[in-house]
């Protein structure tokens, strides 16, 4: 079973440009979430998409946006790049985990390798 | 607001010894799940262990176990018989039940296993 695939793996942009990152989830996973990872800050939640709808959104400016397609693949876009946007962007997919009796279980995230963005 | 705190930025342990990584969290929710994820150098983040908050029993996965203290909002990870492959960044995380996948992560603990 293929894992979570993120492209591109590395990219360099300059301030003011925009960037689009792509994420293909594990087959059958309908939830895709995005995280920004920077040294000292850990992982910060950007947003989550489920069945093409944004289900949750973190505390990031509107320059950060995303979408999900009918095949569950997701893209995130960052416009008007700033130096502080340099980070590893991680995508994670998840299936629905329902325990016996219908009780919702923990949705385990499966992460991709990430897209490392450098803004100069 | 939900927060996760890992107060040990770096730790080291001798091979075959035991090490405990600390994590505290803050939430007003009662139903949630807790996780430890591991990120080896230049490799993908993988799940180490998870704990349902409604369960009193501490979770275990082979050499990995947790000490979950709900009242103290503490969730530490114990690694027994440490191996060189355990060298990684470890992140504590939690998610509130039935809210989707908005996970809250700590800033991580870098663990080095010394041969």
């Amino acid at each position: 079973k293929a894992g979570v695939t993120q492209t591109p793996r590395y990219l360099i942009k300059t301030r003011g440009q925009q960037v689009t990152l792509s994420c293909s989830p594990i087959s059958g996973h309908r939830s895709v979430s995005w995280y920004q990872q920077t040294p000292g800050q850990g992982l910060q939640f950007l947003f989550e998409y489920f069945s093409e709808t944004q289900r949750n959104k973190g505390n990031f400016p509107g320059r950060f946006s995303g979408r999900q397609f009918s095949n569950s693949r997701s893209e995130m876009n960052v416009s008007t790049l700033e130096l502080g946007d340099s980070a590893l962007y991680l995508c994670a997919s998840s299936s629905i985990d329902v325990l016996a009796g219908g009780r919702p279980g923990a949705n385990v995230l499966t992460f991709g390798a990430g897209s490392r963005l450098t803004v100069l | 607001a939900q927060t996760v705190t890992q107060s040990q930025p770096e730790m080291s342990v001798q091979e075959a010894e035991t090490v405990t990584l600390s994590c505290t969290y803050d939430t007003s929710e009662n139903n949630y799940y807790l996780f430890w994820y591991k990120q080896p150098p230049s490799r993908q983040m993988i799940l180490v262990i998870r704990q349902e908050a409604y369960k009193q029993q501490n979770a275990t996965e082979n050499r990995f176990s947790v000490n979950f203290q709900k009242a103290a909002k503490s969730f530490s990870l114990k690694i027994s018989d440490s191996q060189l492959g355990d060298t990684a960044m470890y992140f504590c995380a939690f998610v509130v039940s039935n809210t989707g996948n908005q996970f809250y992560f700590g800033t991580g603990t870098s663990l080095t296993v010394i041969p």
Side-chain angles (χ1 to χ4, degrees), chain A residues 31 33 35 37 40-43 45 48 55-58 88 90 94 97 99 103-109 111-113, chain B residues 31 33 35 37 39 42-47 50 52 54 89 91 95 97-108:
Chain A
S31 166
S33 48
Y35 293 82
Q37 184 179 9
Q41 291 290 318
L43 280 77
F45 173 77
E48 180 205 3
R55 182 158 69 173
N56 287 293
K57 188 177 190 305
L88 180 66
L90 293 171
S94 174
D97 179 17
L99 303 179
R103 189 186 188 113
N107 293 340
V108 174
L109 299 180
F111 284 87
Chain B
N31 297 313
Y33 298 93
F35 303 80
Y37 277 87
Q39 187 177 42
S42 303
R43 294 181 63 186
Q44 285 171 240
M45 186 97 69
I46 57 174
L47 176 69
R50 70 179 183 183
E52 288 86 350
Y54 64 87
M89 183 73 83
F91 292 96
V95 64
S97 301
N98 294 326
T99 62
N101 290 317
Q102 182 166 359
F103 279 58
Y104 297 88
F105 284 83
T107 52

